[in-house]
Amino acid sequence: MEINEAIKRAKENDQKAFNFLLDRYWDDVYGFQLKRIENENDAEDITIQTFSRAFDRIETFDENYKFKTWLITISKNIHIDLLRKAKNSISQVISNDDKSVYQILDESPSPEDELITEQHLAKLLRDIKKLKPHYQEIINLRYFQELSYKEISVQLKEPINNVKVKLLRAKKLLAEIIQEK
């Protein structure tokens, strides 16, 4: 499959096209982030978020630009947002006696954490049942059966990167369902 054809098919919600684009550009985006933040787990998380955001907004992609450049820009913006969020979660405390400044991490739950905590299990299960079956399955495998990404990948017979993106999409859709109420 050629890149432009894959983009066109992805805009029509073709899952194979999404998989092709993910496989084709994963290393580029992941490598870019790894050079920036030098942490494999964070680079992987940002890369997953990048593809999730890109696939959610694929219809906004302008073919006059390179797809890789578009992905890298999304990735860069996600990283900047995370840095801002981290900076805002650290409070500065000034000691009166020596005028030195200490940074203390604000560990209070985020609004998302509070929302999830407030949910009762029965209601959460009802909300999960509103998702498409393949999203229900991946949430069940990860959070109720507590399988690793690798174990889920083996069980579903899908590449681990697809599992991660699917799980991120499922969580995003579930959050939207929960917030609608």
Side-chain angles (χ1 to χ4, degrees), residues 16 18 21 26 35 46 55 66 91 146 148-149 152 162:
K16 287 182 181 176
F18 287 131
L21 293 169
W26 176 270
K35 284 179 188 169
I46 292 172
F55 292 161
K66 291 205 177 291
S91 305
E146 297 181 347
S148 68
Y149 291 126
I152 295 170
N162 288 10

Side-chain angles (χ1 to χ4, degrees), residues 6-36:
I7 293 168
K8 182 178 168 220
R9 288 173 50 187
K11 286 183 177 185
E12 297 167 358
N13 248 352
D14 182 332
Q15 190 61 46
K16 287 182 181 176
F18 287 131
N19 292 345
F20 172 82
L21 293 169
L22 178 75
D23 292 340
R24 170 68 181 81
Y25 291 105
W26 176 270
D27 290 340
D28 295 323
V29 176
Y30 176 75
F32 171 78
Q33 279 302 331
L34 192 57
K35 284 179 188 169
R36 282 178 72 113

